Amino acid sequence: MKKLINDAGSVVADALTGLAAAHPALRVDVEAGVVWRADAPRAGKVALVSGGGSGHEPLHAGFVGYGMLDAACPGEIFTSPVPDQVVAATERVDGGAGVLHVIKNYTGDVMNFELAAELCAEQGVAVASVLVDDDVAVQDSLYTAGRRGTGATLFVEKIAGALAEAGAPLAEATRMAGAVAARSRSFGIALTSCTVPAAGKPTFDLPETEVELGIGIHGEPGRSRAPLASARDLAAVAMDAVHGDLPLAGDLLVMVNGMGGTPLIELYVAFAEVEAYIRGKGARVARSLVGNYVTSLDMQGFSITVCQLDEELTDLWDAPVQTPSLRWGR
């Protein structure tokens, strides 16, 4: 194993220390495992809080800032944050208008966020939640009951975050977050496994001549394995799965996301094939992202996330955002 780390047991704490040093607009409590906006809490503003296991950077802490999340609580690598982390994050950013928890559909995340919401309610904090379950690859997996939450989490955080920044009440921000989740679908493909530092070896074996179709962001098995093929063919497999679950039509927000170890040049090769596929179905890529946003440590591979846009969603996507890993218009 070759990793740019000090010690396998301190990776998350060391990374949070670096995040704090690099981004003075954030506040970071390394010991508590909480990242939040320096201007929080803001009186009268609905706050957005999300979190999950580390190893998916920049999700979630990289999306804390203006127009997106107010706080994030990163757990240990591929491990859900504990309820105390979620409570601490929620309390740090509660401005009196309520807090929206954005939860990826993994059993540990769901359980710990639900318990944290109950504890916050006892303290008089109004908490609502939205569950993101956009992965069409499998119905159940090692970490979930139902579909997994993956790339659409970013879409929910950005669009609902823009609405909250504009002063919308908790009920409206929650409705919008749910709408984005319902209109989004994802599918991922792995070319290699990832290596968790504490394990010191790849999570699973994948021969050089094969790929894993429908991989999860923790290295969970997908639908099947298949021979390594061209970017065009692999993009078509992913898009067939997405289109088969939510037919492509109208204006779309499309993200081609790297899993952590795939060069950007290859992601653009994949995006060209995705755009051609969508155009061939009579739909249009109206907004797009290409890069590493929801990763799986050093895994080579990519995922595709598609959201059906309308005028309101497009305006909220275009609204200014300023975070370490997503920024425009400000």
Side-chain angles (χ1 to χ4, degrees):
M1 180 180 76
K2 290 183 178 179
K3 296 282 187 183
L4 188 62
I5 61 176
N6 295 317
D7 182 87
S10 67
V11 174
V12 175
D14 291 349
L16 289 176
T17 300
L19 182 73
H23 300 287
L26 301 181
R27 295 292 178 264
V28 180
D29 186 330
V30 175
E31 185 175 347
V34 179
V35 179
W36 69 101
R37 288 169 57 164
D39 63 351
R42 291 179 55 199
K45 178 192 176 297
V46 170
L48 267 68
V49 173
S50 193
S54 296
H56 307 304
E57 288 73 23
L59 194 78
H60 294 274
F63 301 133
V64 175
Y66 181 91
M68 216 160 171
L69 293 176
D70 293 87
C73 38
E76 290 300 317
I77 291 177
F78 293 174
T79 303
S80 300
V82 298
D84 284 351
Q85 283 180 267
V86 182
V87 171
T90 302
E91 291 179 343
R92 278 170 168 80
V93 298
D94 174 33
V99 179
L100 175 59
H101 287 170
V102 180
I103 310 168
K104 301 189 304 301
N105 188 33
Y106 296 97
T107 303
D109 289 19
V110 172
M111 179 177 64
N112 289 345
F113 269 87
E114 286 180 350
L115 180 54
E118 293 173 5
L119 295 172
C120 290
E122 292 175 0
Q123 301 300 317
V125 180
V127 176
S129 66
V130 62
L131 189 68
V132 183
D133 57 352
D134 53 305
D135 189 353
V136 303
V138 295
Q139 182 60 32
D140 298 297
S141 75
L142 297 176
Y143 292 83
T144 62
R147 290 180 169 178
R148 303 175 292 213
T150 57
T153 311
L154 183 157
F155 293 174
V156 171
E157 292 172 354
K158 170 62 185 78
I159 291 173
L163 195 61
E165 201 70 59
L170 181 59
E172 180 62 15
T174 304
R175 181 198 67 80
M176 180 59 68
V180 175
R183 299 166 74 105
S184 301
R185 300 292 189 275
S186 296
F187 192 93
I189 297 176
L191 279 64
T192 69
S193 177
C194 58
T195 300
V196 176
K201 61 182 181 180
T203 301
F204 59 91
D205 294 321
L206 187 60
E208 289 291 322
T209 57
E210 293 183 359
V211 297
E212 183 84 26
L213 304 177
I215 193 72
I217 58 174
H218 309 93
E220 310 98 302
R223 287 183 173 182
S224 62
R225 291 190 174 182
L228 179 63
S230 67
R232 179 176 296 112
D233 290 344
L234 293 179
V237 169
M239 291 306 299
D240 283 346
V242 169
H243 179 61
D245 197 85
L246 186 70
L248 303 171
D251 283 354
L252 303 174
L253 165 60
V254 179
M255 176 173 67
V256 170
N257 169 68
M259 301 302 288
T262 302
L264 190 57
I265 190 171
E266 295 177 24
L267 296 179
Y268 277 110
V269 171
F271 185 83
E273 301 303 335
V274 170
E275 191 279 332
Y277 182 103
I278 288 171
R279 191 162 19 93
K281 298 297 183 184
R284 183 175 81 99
V285 177
R287 299 292 186 273
S288 61
L289 280 180
V290 180
N292 289 295
Y293 295 101
V294 184
T295 63
S296 184
L297 292 170
D298 54 346
M299 179 184 288
Q300 293 181 32
F302 70 106
S303 64
I304 301 168
T305 303
V306 175
C307 177
Q308 292 182 326
L309 291 172
D310 59 21
E311 185 176 352
E312 183 181 24
L313 293 180
T314 303
D315 288 345
L316 289 168
W317 178 260
D318 289 343
V321 60
Q322 187 170 349
T323 72
S325 300
L326 207 66
R327 63 184 74 179
W328 56 71
R330 196 167 186 260

